[in-house]
């Protein structure tokens, strides 16, 4: 029985990462109906930026918290910029083209990012310096490590910030309006192009933060790491209702939990099979996801 | 016309399959042909070694999928099997042992053989399951291992997953001994696992840098060639040495006589350790050592000598 609690803790931690990445998928789909296949690779790039920063400052013995914040800021800034660049160069020109064109463009960006990382950092594994504390709380047979708590807290902070932004600010409301109906939003005076750009910025920043956190927590990073994480995060985005921001947050944690229970009660080999079976089930029985897609009904 | 060609082709194919089966016995046989692949999985050549091993695995998988070779299924073995079991059972006093693999031919083969050897040594194998390589989170897998309450965990897969397993085991507060097979011999493991790697053991075929008996050889080689020796040179060195010794003794270079004399060598003190030749002409015993992570690097720990695991 106590294994259940341990699996739950593990699952929530993994889920925190997935939720952050899922948000990018869901937001971008919400505003331009594109499944940004390059988003998983943005996560990977963020991780490598953090790696570059940390290996550069590791010798200086600055306080750990400062180094972590620096890595996060650098990662998020770079990926935010990358996201905006991607939008301008690879997606914006194709917004009115057949949907397949923009999808292929996204795949192209994904390949370009992966190969660039491989050329720059090599095909092997890079290791973050071990900065996080190694201890934890022991509650009976269940162990919650300090780093797990840290990761989940940072993820929740970022997600709350996003939620506040989207619900309470004018720009956030503009994003939601844009997701509902692009033309009507334009008619209401919303700067559509600017808002789309902002969506990419925020989504990519979140993925970049998740990438740095992944590096800090798991230590080992590699140029192909974006693929599997991207796929699972995308599953979470669909599960939560693609386009639905709170949905993506909850579904991210849910997929993390499913992964953990599957690994624990069945076998790690069945992880992905089970996650994707869930995805298929959702798409067949409730394609709008568990929280429903945010589309306005045209009456 | 086409029908005739098809008919002829089918007949030829059937004949070919038929005669092949007759010649080699039943294709569905479960006999295994073990192919040893002694490759460097440490040092400068680690990536080459893994490359070689994967090439062998891939060939084995392809051949096995097509029915095997002469009725045998191919099994790729690193030189690791019985030695790990002997070390775990004998030296670590492993009473409850968990074994993990990454589901590839090499890893699974090694795991299966070690489990069999452990069981025959009277050890309780409390966990034996594969994980999926290429992922980053193995906390649930490790929780399952922990549930079985082993005192030793032996992993036969690669260093990439091993590094993660070690780090996450520490995060989960799990305290069993962590031991890796050949394929875990890589410094990336230490970089990934950080402080958690201290005390982790790896069973491996040695490079001269790890053998006390190869000190002189190592110095001479490095001086003469301005590079570190790889894993094969010391065996070649010993090979030449033992043949030269035998020829000097029997005072002839007659090949048959030399071969006979080599079989009669009781014990040769080589740089790769003490050895003789068995009935098949193979070096006996296979050289095997255990290395340990100490102060952020691998150092030699124990080697198998005269039936015991003694300090290397």
């Amino acid at each position: 029985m106590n294994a259940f609690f341990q699996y739950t803790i593990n699952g929530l931690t993994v889920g925190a990462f997935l939720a952050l990445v899922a948000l990018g998928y869901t937001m971008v789909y919400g505003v331009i109906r594109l499944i940004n296949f390059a988003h998983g690779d943005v996560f990977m790039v963020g991780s490598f930026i953090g790696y570059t920063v940390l290996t550069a400052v590791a010798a200086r013995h600055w306080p750990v918290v400062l180094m972590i914040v620096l890595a996060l800021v650098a990662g998020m800034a770079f990926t935010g910029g990358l996201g905006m660049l991607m939008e301008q160069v690879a997606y914006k020109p194709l917004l009115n083209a057949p949907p397949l064109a923009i999808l292929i463009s996204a795949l192209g960006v994904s390949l370009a990012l992966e190969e660039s990382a491989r050329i720059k950092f090599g095909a092997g594994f890079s290791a973050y310096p071990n900065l996080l504390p190694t201890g934890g709380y022991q509650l009976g047979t269940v162990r919650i490590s300090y780093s797990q708590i840290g990761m989940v807290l940072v993820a929740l902070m970022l997600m709350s910030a996003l939620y506040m932004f989207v619900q309470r600010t004018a720009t956030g409301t503009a994003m939601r309006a844009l997701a509902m109906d692009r033309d009507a939003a334009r008619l209401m005076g919303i700067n559509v192009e600017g808002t789309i750009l902002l969506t990419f910025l925020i989504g990519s920043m979140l993925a970049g933060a998740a990438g740095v956190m992944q590096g800090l927590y798991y230590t080992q990073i590699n140029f192909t790491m974006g693929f599997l994480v991207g796929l699972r995060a995308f599953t979470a985005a669909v599960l939560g209702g693609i386009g639905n921001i709170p949905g993506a947050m909850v579904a991210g944690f849910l997929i993390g939990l499913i992964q953990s229970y599957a690994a624990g009660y069945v076998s790690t080999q069945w992880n992905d099979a089970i996650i994707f079976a869930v995805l298929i089930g959702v798409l067949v029985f409730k394609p709008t996801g568990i929280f429903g897609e945010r589309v306005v009904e045209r009456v | 016309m086409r029908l005739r060609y098809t008919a002829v082709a089918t007949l030829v194919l059937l004949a070919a399959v038929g005669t092949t089966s007759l010649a080699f016995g039943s294709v569905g046989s479960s006999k295994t042909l073990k192919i040893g692949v002694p490759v460097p999985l440490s040092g400068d050549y680690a990536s080459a070694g893994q490359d070689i091993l994967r090439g062998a695995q891939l060939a084995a998988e392809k051949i096995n999928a097509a029915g095997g070779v002469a009725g045998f299924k191919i099994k790729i073995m690193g030189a690791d099997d019985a030695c790990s079991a002997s070390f775990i059972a004998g030296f670590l006093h492993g009473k409850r042992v968990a074994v993990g693999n990454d589901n590839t031919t090499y890893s699974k083969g090694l795991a299966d053989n070690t489990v069999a050897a452990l069981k025959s040594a009277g050890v309780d194998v409390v966990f034996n399951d594969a994980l999926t390589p290429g992922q980053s989170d193995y906390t649930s897998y490790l929780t399952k291992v922990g549930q079985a309450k082993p005192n030793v965990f032996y992993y036969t897969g690669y260093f990439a997953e091993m590094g993660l397993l070690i780090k996450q085991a520490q995060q989960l507060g799990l305290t069993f001994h962590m031991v890796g097979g050949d394929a875990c011999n890589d410094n990336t493991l230490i970089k990934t696992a950080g402080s958690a790697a201290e005390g982790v053991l790896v069973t491996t075929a040695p490079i001269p840098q790890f053998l006390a008996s190869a000190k002189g050889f190592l110095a001479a080689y490095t001086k003469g060639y301005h590079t570190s020796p790889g894993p094969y040179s010391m065996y070649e060195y010993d090979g030449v040495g033992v043949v030269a010794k035998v020829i000097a003794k029997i005072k002839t270079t007659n090949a048959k006589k030399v071969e006979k004399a080599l079989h009669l060598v009781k014990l040769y003190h080589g740089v790769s350790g003490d050895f003789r030749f068995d009935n098949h002409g193979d070096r006996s015993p296979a050289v095997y050592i255990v290395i340990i992570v100490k102060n952020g690097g691998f150092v030699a720990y124990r080697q198998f000598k005269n039936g015991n695991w003694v300090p290397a």
Side-chain angles (χ1 to χ4, degrees):
Chain A
M1 193 53 198
N2 30 41
F4 174 77
F5 292 117
Q6 190 67 62
Y7 295 141
T8 309
I9 307 283
N10 300 341
L12 290 174
T13 315
V14 172
F17 292 102
L18 290 177
L20 285 174
V21 181
L23 282 166
Y25 279 109
T26 225
M27 284 165 64
V28 164
Y29 185 84
V31 292
I32 59 172
R33 299 286 183 270
L34 162 74
I35 298 169
N36 183 8
F37 283 117
H39 191 59
D41 298 295
V42 171
F43 160 84
M44 177 269 295
V45 168
S47 200
F48 274 104
I49 297 298
Y51 166 76
T52 313
V53 166
L54 285 173
T55 42
V57 303
R60 293 185 202 199
H61 303 291
W62 290 347
V64 171
V65 178
L66 179 64
M67 291 203 280
I68 291 176
V69 168
L70 192 64
L72 274 170
V73 168
M76 287 168 77
F78 191 90
T79 50
L82 178 66
M84 291 200 292
L85 186 67
M86 272 164 49
E87 195 269 336
Q88 292 287 296
V89 170
Y91 304 143
K92 183 165 174 206
L94 296 171
L95 279 180
N96 293 317
L100 196 57
I102 201 171
L103 212 65
I104 294 176
S105 185
L107 286 171
V109 174
S110 169
L111 274 172
L113 290 175
E114 279 175 21
E115 285 304 295
S116 307
R118 185 183 63 78
I119 291 169
K120 177 92 176 78
F121 297 100
F125 295 95
S126 304
Y128 264 57
N130 277 284
L131 294 174
L132 296 180
T134 53
Y137 293 111
Q138 191 81 33
L139 307 163
T141 48
V142 179
R143 186 171 170 108
I144 310 177
S145 67
Y146 300 134
S147 46
Q148 276 177 317
I149 297 175
M151 291 296 116
V152 174
L153 278 177
V154 173
L156 287 175
M157 266 167 36
L158 289 168
M159 288 190 269
S160 319
L162 176 72
Y163 188 75
M164 292 295 167
F165 175 78
V166 167
Q167 295 290 119
R168 304 286 164 86
T169 67
T171 331
T173 316
M175 268 172 61
R176 286 185 290 139
L178 191 56
M180 283 186 194
D181 190 328
R182 198 190 301 175
D183 296 320
R186 195 190 299 272
L187 289 172
M188 298 299 282
I190 289 172
N191 177 356
V192 169
E193 281 73 35
T195 313
I196 294 177
L197 201 58
L198 184 68
T199 310
F200 270 88
L201 172 69
I202 297 176
S204 304
M205 272 171 63
L206 289 173
V212 175
M213 285 161 63
Q214 168 101 356
L216 287 168
Y217 185 68
Y218 291 108
T219 317
Q220 199 166 271
I221 63 174
N222 169 265
F223 78 103
T224 58
M225 64 194 265
F227 176 71
L228 200 55
V229 172
L231 213 51
R232 289 186 182 156
F234 171 66
T235 306
V238 171
L239 182 62
I242 190 115
N244 187 321
I245 289 174
M249 292 185 198
V250 173
F253 283 106
L254 202 56
I255 293 288
L257 285 172
I258 293 174
Q259 183 183 314
S260 193
Y261 296 138
Y265 291 118
V266 184
S267 167
T268 10
Q269 303 174 62
W270 286 90
N271 256 356
D272 287 318
I274 292 176
I275 292 174
F276 295 131
V278 167
L279 175 66
I280 293 171
V282 169
L283 287 173
V284 167
F285 296 110
K286 199 167 194 299
T288 50
I290 42 181
F291 294 99
E293 198 178 327
R294 279 207 188 261
V295 278
V296 114
E297 286 199 12
R298 294 181 184 278
V299 286
Chain B
M1 195 62 180
R2 206 191 284 169
L3 197 61
R4 204 152 27 118
Y5 274 134
T6 321
V8 171
T10 320
L11 279 172
V12 170
L13 199 62
L14 281 172
V17 171
T19 43
T20 322
S21 311
L22 280 173
F24 293 120
S26 92
V27 176
S29 161
S30 58
K31 288 184 286 191
T32 44
L33 176 66
K34 298 179 186 172
I35 299 183
V37 182
V39 284
L41 290 169
S42 62
D44 304 321
Y45 303 92
S47 50
Q50 270 139 41
D51 191 37
I52 295 171
L53 200 55
R54 284 182 201 141
Q57 274 167 235
L58 209 58
E61 275 162 22
K62 183 169 179 221
I63 294 170
N64 285 342
V69 154
F72 287 90
K73 293 278 179 197
I74 297 182
K75 203 167 206 176
I76 301 293
M77 327 270 280
D80 205 329
D81 308 22
C83 293
S84 318
S86 137
F87 179 74
I88 293 169
F91 186 78
L92 287 180
H93 304 297
K95 301 275 176 347
R96 298 172 63 85
V97 179
V99 177
N101 67 82
D102 69 4
N103 230 5
T104 57
T105 323
Y106 164 74
S107 177
K108 193 146 201 318
L110 176 54
D112 288 343
N113 286 312
T114 309
V115 167
L118 283 171
K119 282 191 176 147
S120 64
V123 172
D124 199 1
V125 178
V126 296
F127 179 91
N128 183 7
D129 198 12
L131 52 74
T132 315
Q135 297 183 7
S136 45
D137 196 295
Y138 293 110
T139 44
S140 293
Y141 178 80
L142 284 166
T143 306
K144 245 178 36 168
V145 172
Q147 294 271 293
K149 297 204 188 346
N151 57 347
V152 179
F153 174 62
Y154 179 57
Y155 181 67
T156 61
Y158 287 94
F159 58 87
E161 283 75 37
M162 188 60 170
L164 294 169
L165 286 170
I166 297 169
K167 187 172 171 80
Q168 289 164 22
Q170 183 194 52
Q171 274 175 351
L172 289 168
L174 297 168
T175 52
F176 39 74
H177 282 295
M178 308 264 307
V179 184
D182 291 90
C184 290
N185 191 351
D186 189 295
N187 281 315
T188 309
L189 180 152
I190 305 177
K191 277 195 264 176
T192 299
S195 61
E198 287 298 302
V200 165
L201 300 155
V202 171
T203 56
T204 175
I207 45 176
Q209 288 83 336
F210 285 139
L211 284 180
S213 48
K215 268 211 186 67
F217 168 78
L218 178 61
Y221 190 107
T222 322
K223 188 167 178 209
Y225 300 115
H226 306 293
T227 181
S228 322
Y232 297 119
S233 40
M234 62 177 174
Y235 296 108
E236 191 57 36
Y237 182 92
D238 280 344
V240 172
V242 69
V243 168
K245 186 171 181 189
V246 155
I247 290 176
K249 188 165 183 200
I250 62 175
K251 296 197 182 17
T252 170
T253 53
N254 177 294
K256 266 205 143 50
K257 292 209 175 113
V258 172
E259 190 198 325
K260 224 172 177 175
L262 280 171
H263 275 290
L264 293 173
V265 170
K266 286 233 180 57
L267 203 67
Y268 179 78
H269 301 292
V271 299
S272 61
D274 297 342
F275 66 92
R276 45 171 287 276
F277 294 103
D278 68 13
N279 307 355
H280 303 290
D282 287 327
R283 178 218 164 88
S284 165
V287 189
Y288 235 77
I289 65 166
V290 177
I291 54 181
I292 190 171
V293 178
K294 205 168 185 180
N295 300 326
F298 277 117
V299 296
Y301 185 58
R302 289 285 185 275
Q303 64 178 344
F304 200 65
K305 217 168 187 174
N306 305 323
N308 281 314
W309 286 96
V310 299

